[in-house]
RNA sequence: GCCCACGUAGCUCAGGAGGUAGAGCAACGCCUUGGUAAGGCGUAGGUCGGCGGUUCAAGUCCGCCCGUGGGCUCCA
């Protein structure tokens, strides 16, 4: 029971707060794609690109060993967009080294060596790699066998194979290109050196990892590098500064803590206002809970046993320990327990924009996407077990409705099912019912989904929803999770039709996840050019000369009275520069006023797309903008 | 936390191999009243992240600390 709880909470945190950069969820993608019955895509491992990247990893290892003959090599797989290889070298690599390595690689490739595969016994392999301790460890693992690359037991006898090209032979299961002539010497690039632990274990040797990207053609490489540059322009940290939305102040304030500036604060207000109203309209109650609670609360919930590493040190209040909350659920449960509940009261849906604080290691903090203090759009549903199917159906649809309202239309869902025997709590029937409820809801919602078999947490299955942003990057925002466990821990009950107490089920769910993280995603998705309803400044009036300022003010007052957010740029800059500045601020409507417009009671409308709509009557423009706001464009 | 890189004016950045700080933009002032992405001139603004050390002399070299960025469960 206790371990089960650990999974609940840890899973909840991970789901929301792993940075979810594509590379970070890669392992899961491999698996999901491999086992997907829905995607129909050719698995990455079977593509030529995969072999090409894998081969380049070997070529890179050869080049590095030529430069550092005493160097030790670890592993070097293909990854999304490229490949890497981990090395244990006598000195740190410099950017100049990367260039030199790249050059050597090109020379090796040009010789068009063939790849030769051979199988050998563990003993032969040990002799071959006698001076490569990491390889020896891998060989030991292979010989012991019984585990595939996902850590799953396998019956197949281990086969040890190597691939050799030119002078370099590496322990490798392949596959590779036939010969290096298949690789265009100008279609790859080494990107960076980074630290990585042997086998991902921070207690073990830290290695130097060289990342490279590789493609079939130089054009594709260019395109990829261009994509990276585009992504950088959209970086929410850069835009947050340029648009004056938020800041962080690590020196005096502390890392991972966010200051929402007036414009960002306004956007958050608009988003929350919309969401809260939708929650109220869909059968949720809005609640508020404190930021701290006594240690007994966190003992009961299991947080102190299993989540303490992520919690901050206690406060002493009158000799009692209080903890800053890392989650809202225990408070909502206390609220549930504050009175006797009847089946007639269920489902109860407590929603809270709850601000929580969690310790994150300093190295993982990242802008708005990974922080230490954040506000979840959290809710807990308390449900009769037999009503769970309808409840999941409801929450899933509500979730999509909210996400769509912010302009996200491309979703991918993941249904994570029961882990292996002995690794799950609850009886099989509970699980089966829950999984079926989730899957049916996914079908009814007409959502593409993949199943992640055994990927559920110990306590129950879950649905995670990822959205695809304008650059095609996936971000996980929403999670909808069953919980069989906390109701037990807190001995929650409701009185059923039979007059007897029963145990409710719980759903934890966050739709936008956290306001901080969601805001970061939103900024990157729109590149700062937000939908009109969210734009901090919706309209700027641009007088061509000072004599047009009074008329501009008059129009501005009218638009403000209609509920729009309007500014008048009465500075001494020329019109061209005012347009440029408004453009940089991504203001949706620029209304230019000169003698002609003023005389005709019009404004010349320019959109941030650059489109010039020409002179329009003020009433028409007002209606056009109001329509855009209302339709959330 | 660990590895690497970085930390110079509000912002973006220059400052070959040590000799008492520069540019553009922003800000402010003056001039300009200009039709769809930068009008002109001028002014002000920096204990070069912090603390120690080497040196006649340190933004520049060394050490420690703080912070930022990229990585760190992709398994031969």
């Amino acid at each position: 029971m206790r371990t089960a709880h650990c999974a609940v909470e840890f899973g909840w945190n991970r789901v929301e707060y792993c940075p979810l950069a594509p590379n970070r969820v890669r392992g899961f993608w491999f698996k999901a794609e491999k086992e997907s019955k829905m995607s129909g895509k050719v698995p990455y491992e079977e593509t030529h690109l995969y072999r090409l990247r894998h081969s380049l990893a070997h070529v890179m290892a050869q080049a590095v060993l030529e430069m550092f003959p005493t160097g030790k090599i670890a592993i070097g797989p293909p990854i999304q967009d490229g490949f890497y290889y981990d090395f244990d070298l006598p000195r740190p690599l410099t950017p100049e080294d990367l260039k030199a390595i790249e050059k050597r690689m090109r020379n090796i490739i040009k010789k068009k060596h063939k790849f030769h595969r051979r199988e050998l016994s563990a003993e032969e392999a040990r002799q071959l790699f006698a001076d490569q301790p990491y390889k020896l460890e891998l060989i030991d693992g292979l010989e012991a066998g019984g585990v595939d690359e996902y850590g799953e037991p396998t019956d197949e006898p281990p086969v040890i194979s190597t691939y050799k090209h030119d002078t370099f032979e590496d322990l490798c299961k392949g596959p590779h290109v036939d010969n290096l002539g298949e690789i265009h010497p100008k279609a790859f690039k080494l990107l960076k050196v980074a630290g990585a632990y042997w086998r991902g274990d921070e207690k073990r040797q830290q290695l130097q990892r060289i990342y490279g990207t590789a493609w079939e053609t130089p054009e594709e490489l260019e395109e990829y590098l261009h994509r990276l540059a585009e992504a950088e322009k959209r970086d929410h940290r850069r835009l947050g500064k340029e648009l004056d939305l938020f800041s962080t102040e690590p020196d005096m304030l502390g890392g991972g803590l966010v200051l929402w500036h007036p414009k960002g604060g306004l956007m958050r207000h608009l988003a929350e206002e919309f969401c809260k109203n939708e929650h109220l309209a869909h059968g949720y109650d809005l609640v508020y809970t404190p930021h701290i609670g006594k240690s007994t609360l966190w003992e009961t919930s299991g947080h102190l046993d299993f989540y303490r590493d992520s919690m901050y040190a206690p406060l002493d209040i009158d000799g009692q320990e209080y903890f800053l909350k890392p989650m809202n659920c225990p408070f909502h449960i206390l609220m549930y327990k504050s009175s006797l509940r009847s089946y007639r009261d269920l489902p109860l849906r407590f929603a809270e924009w709850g601000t929580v604080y969690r310790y994150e290691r300093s190295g993982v903090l990242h802008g708005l996407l990974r922080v230490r203090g954040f506000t979840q759009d959290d809710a807990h549903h308390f449900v009769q077990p037999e009503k769970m199917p309808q409840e999941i159906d409801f929450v899933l649809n509500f979730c999509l409705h909210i996400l769509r309202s912010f302009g996200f239309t491309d979703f991918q869902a993941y249904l994570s099912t029961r882990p292996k025997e002995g690794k799950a709590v609850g009886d099989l029937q509970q699980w089966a019912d829950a999984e079926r409820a989730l899957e049916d809801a996914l079908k009814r919602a007409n959502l593409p989904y993949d199943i992640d078999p055994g990927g559920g947490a110990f306590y129950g299955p879950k649905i995670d929803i990822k959205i695809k942003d304008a650059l095609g990057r996936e971000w996980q925002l929403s999670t909808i999770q069953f919980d069989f466990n906390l109701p037990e821990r807190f001995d929650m009950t409701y009185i059923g039709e039979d007059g007897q107490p029963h145990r409710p089920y719980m759903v934890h769910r966050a739709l936008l996840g956290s306001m901080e993280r969601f805001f970061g995603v939103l900024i990157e998705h729109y590149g700062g050019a937000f939908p009109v309803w969210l734009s901090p400044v919706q309209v700027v009036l641009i007088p061509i000369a000072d004599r047009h300022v009074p008329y501009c003010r008059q129009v501005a007052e009218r638009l403000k009275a209609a509920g729009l957010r309007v500014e008048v740029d009465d500075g001494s800059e020329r019109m061209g520069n005012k347009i440029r500045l408004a453009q940089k601020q991504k203001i949706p409507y620029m209304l230019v006023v000169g003698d002609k417009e003023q005389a005709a009671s019009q404004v010349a409308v320019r959109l941030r797309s650059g489109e010039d709509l020409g002179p329009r009557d003020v009433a028409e423009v007002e209606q056009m903008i109001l329509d855009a706001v209302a339709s959330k464009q």
Side-chain angles (χ1 to χ4, degrees), chain A residues 431-486:
Chain A
W431 276 92
D433 290 349
E435 287 169 5
R436 191 175 328 108
L438 292 175
E439 189 158 11
D440 287 350
L442 284 167
K443 281 177 182 158
R444 278 194 292 271
N446 212 9
L447 259 184
Y449 65 96
D450 279 324
I451 294 178
D452 180 18
F458 296 93
Y459 59 90
K462 62 173 182 175
I463 292 173
D464 294 327
I465 295 172
K466 291 193 169 84
I467 58 96
K468 201 175 258 189
D469 76 6
L471 292 186
R473 297 171 302 180
E474 307 222 16
W475 304 88
Q476 183 174 332
L477 298 179
S478 316
T479 186
I480 300 169
Q481 312 189 340
F482 258 80
D483 185 358
F484 303 136
N485 182 42
L486 277 178

Side-chain angles (χ1 to χ4, degrees), chain A residues 22-230:
Chain A
N23 56 344
R24 201 167 278 261
V25 292
R26 192 63 220 172
F28 175 60
W29 285 110
F30 272 123
K31 191 172 180 179
E33 275 179 26
K34 187 179 177 184
E35 308 197 9
S36 166
K37 294 181 177 66
M38 311 272 303
S39 66
K41 280 179 284 187
V42 178
Y44 180 41
E45 303 96 309
E46 291 173 23
T47 61
H48 184 259
L49 201 48
Y50 181 93
R51 299 209 306 272
L52 180 155
R53 289 168 177 165
H54 199 167
S55 302
L56 273 167
H58 281 219
V59 172
M60 181 163 77
Q62 178 185 359
V64 169
L65 285 185
E66 284 172 7
M67 286 173 65
F68 301 91
T70 62
K72 308 300 175 203
I73 57 176
I75 57 168
I79 53 172
Q80 184 176 40
D81 302 329
F83 59 93
Y84 71 77
Y85 212 112
D86 287 343
F87 302 96
D88 187 353
L89 301 174
R91 67 164 173 85
L93 292 165
T94 64
E96 289 67 44
D97 291 328
L98 281 198
K99 281 179 204 142
I101 293 165
E102 210 175 279
K103 197 170 169 191
R104 276 178 188 275
M105 288 173 67
R106 293 213 163 82
N107 288 333
I108 295 167
I109 290 170
K110 280 180 194 154
K111 292 185 188 133
K112 303 188 178 180
H113 302 289
K114 274 189 187 301
F115 273 92
H116 300 283
R117 178 178 192 274
R118 65 173 168 135
E119 292 181 8
L120 56 180
S121 69
E123 219 24 69
E124 291 168 319
R126 280 197 189 91
Q127 279 172 28
L128 187 60
F129 294 103
D131 59 347
Q132 287 293 347
Y134 300 101
K135 297 296 176 189
L136 291 176
E137 189 175 327
L138 292 171
I139 292 164
D140 289 345
L142 284 172
E143 193 182 32
V147 177
D148 74 5
E149 61 264 43
Y150 305 120
E152 304 287 326
T154 167
D155 303 330
E156 292 164 35
V159 174
I160 297 177
S161 60
T162 65
Y163 277 80
K164 183 177 184 187
H165 73 274
D166 194 15
T167 60
F168 182 77
E169 184 164 17
D170 197 4
L171 187 69
C172 183
K173 72 177 172 188
H176 285 277
V177 294
D178 290 335
N179 81 76
L180 292 174
E182 293 176 35
I183 302 175
H184 196 298
K186 289 190 174 154
F188 79 93
K189 183 173 165 61
L190 301 188
L191 297 176
K192 59 201 165 199
V193 201
Y197 299 99
W198 170 235
R199 304 216 134 171
D201 182 348
E202 63 191 71
K203 292 189 188 68
R204 306 197 62 177
Q205 181 68 35
Q206 181 145 24
L207 306 170
Q208 297 192 66
R209 174 173 297 180
I210 304 177
Y211 281 98
T213 185
W215 303 84
E216 297 282 358
T217 65
E219 292 72 32
E220 282 171 313
L221 173 64
E222 268 317 300
E223 208 177 294
Y224 173 72
L225 295 175
H226 184 253
R227 272 212 308 282
L228 285 187
E230 278 305 303

